[in-house]
Every structure is written in structure tokens, then in C-alpha cells.
Amino acid sequence: MMLDVEACVFDLDGVLVDSEPVWEEVRRAFVADHGGTRQPDTQSRLMGMSTAEWAAYLHELGVRMAPEKIARGVVDQMAARYRDEMPLMPGAVEAVRRLSGHVTLGLASSSPRRLIDVVLDAAELKECFAATVSTEEVERGKPAPDGYLEAARRMELDPRGCVAVEDSSNGLRSAHAAGMRVIAVPHPRYPPAPDALALAWQVLPDLDALTLDLLS
């Protein structure tokens, strides 16, 4: 089968692992426990931020510690939750393995490197990816295109020959800004904004619909 794309770059949170509810619960409790006050738009603003960006934002919400300490505390709690139970999205492992070997795979995630490695190790998917990028490792988090551009650079591919698989508004905007065709798999609890969803090349109901035929 001839494929129309050179690489498929996955997001992690909300695409391969159902982590947004866990992130929301952990960060909500962390803010409350350390003197901060959440705002009505806090969750939507947090989605796609890099570690440095969301730690600084929680500090702005009134958390009484340095952003570096905030990041360490939240990531420690996330790692502990993942060790207790890895909330993989339905069809995530199957989708990655279905494409692996037929198309180059990359990953561009807002999660810190430590959590990316925990998830891919637990799911036994690390060997499927030619390149994985945390937005900790680039200048700007999503919706800036930096993470997706870096994934393409590490795979030595033109981003215009890649597709990205995303769920969130900021993720869709990020991949589109990088010049990639974007496949949206909206999370039922955190649907993307209509203007972001309009950037998608394809909108799929779930990962089971992400097939080689779709990319050919």
C-alpha cells in the first residue's frame, strides 16, 4: 500500500492516554492545597502548556512556591497516579502498532519527558516511535508549532509531509501552524473549540478509525 504521508505524529495526553482528567484532578487539588484560586478558564488554558508555562501559571493563581517546585510536586503526583493505573485511551496501543512499520511515527507532547517515558514504557510502545518530543525541550508550548517542528526535525522530514493526531484546541492549532495535516480525535469530555476543529483535515470518532487506508 502506498501511503500519502511520510510520518504520523501523535499527541500523548487525550490521544494515547486519558490523562486530562488526572491532570485536572491533580492540579486542581495542588492549587487548592497551596493557597491558589482557580479561574473559570483555568482548565482550557492549561491544556497544551509546557511544564514551565503551566507551573508559572499556577504560581500566578496564588500557589505559594516557586514554579520549579510546583512543577516537581505536580509531576511527582502524576507519576504516582500513573504507577497505580495507566489510563490508556481505548484503541491507543492498537492504533500505534497498526501504523508502526508502515509509516514513521513521532510524538509531540506537552507532558514532561519523565511522564512520556513512563507511559510509553508501560504501554510497551517506545520502540514504535522514531522521535519523541516534550515541549519542555523546545522554546514554546502549544499552540505554538515548536514541538511539532522539532519532531519533524528529529525524524529528518518536512512537516508538510506529516500528519498529526490531536484532540485539544491548542494541539490542533500547534500542528496546523507547523504545516502538518491534522487528524482530530476529539475527547468527549474536553472537546476542542469550533475554530480549532475547523483546522482539521479529518475528524475521527475514535482511534479505531485511524487506519492505513485513511493515510493512503
Side-chain angles (χ1 to χ4, degrees):
M1 180 185 295
M2 291 294 293
L3 297 181
D4 190 35
V5 300
E6 293 188 272
C8 182
V9 186
F10 285 88
D11 177 37
L12 183 72
D13 296 292
V15 173
L16 297 182
V17 61
D18 194 12
S19 55
E20 293 298 351
V22 186
W23 275 112
E24 182 176 10
E25 187 177 323
V26 168
R27 288 191 291 213
R28 181 186 294 273
F30 198 90
V31 169
D33 291 346
H34 295 89
T37 304
R38 284 175 62 93
Q39 302 302 314
D41 65 345
T42 290
Q43 178 60 21
S44 62
R45 289 187 62 181
L46 285 168
M47 292 177 72
M49 282 187 178
S50 68
T51 304
E53 288 168 341
W54 62 250
Y57 176 62
L58 297 191
H59 181 71
E60 291 172 9
L61 293 180
V63 175
R64 297 186 298 267
M65 59 180 66
E68 295 79 9
K69 190 172 181 181
I70 293 173
R72 190 161 54 249
V74 170
V75 172
D76 283 348
Q77 291 186 27
M78 287 295 298
R81 291 285 295 271
Y82 281 176
R83 283 193 292 270
D84 287 342
E85 182 180 3
M86 183 60 63
L88 291 168
M89 292 293 287
V93 171
E94 294 82 358
V96 171
R97 294 204 178 279
R98 186 162 58 244
L99 301 186
S100 179
H102 299 279
V103 61
T104 301
L105 298 184
L107 184 139
S109 173
S110 299
S111 273
R113 169 59 57 186
R114 177 180 169 195
L115 294 183
I116 292 173
D117 291 344
V118 168
V119 172
L120 296 186
D121 283 341
E124 299 182 346
L125 293 177
K126 184 172 284 188
E127 74 283 356
C128 295
F129 291 94
T132 62
V133 177
S134 165
T135 52
E136 285 183 329
E137 300 159 0
V138 295
E139 185 176 349
R140 299 172 298 173
K142 302 173 184 178
D146 301 30
Y148 280 103
L149 291 174
E150 177 64 13
R153 188 192 70 78
R154 292 184 187 182
M155 293 186 293
E156 300 182 344
L157 295 173
D158 187 330
R160 293 171 295 183
C162 304
V163 298
V165 185
E166 269 287 357
D167 66 304
S168 70
S169 297
N170 283 341
L172 291 164
R173 294 179 181 121
S174 172
H176 184 265
M180 296 186 183
R181 282 177 287 177
V182 193
I183 296 172
V185 187
H187 192 290
R189 182 169 167 183
Y190 306 100
D195 68 301
L197 192 61
L199 301 173
W201 168 60
Q202 299 275 354
V203 180
L204 305 182
D206 51 44
L207 289 172
D208 290 339
L210 180 60
T211 63
L212 288 168
D213 284 340
L214 182 74
L215 303 182
S216 65

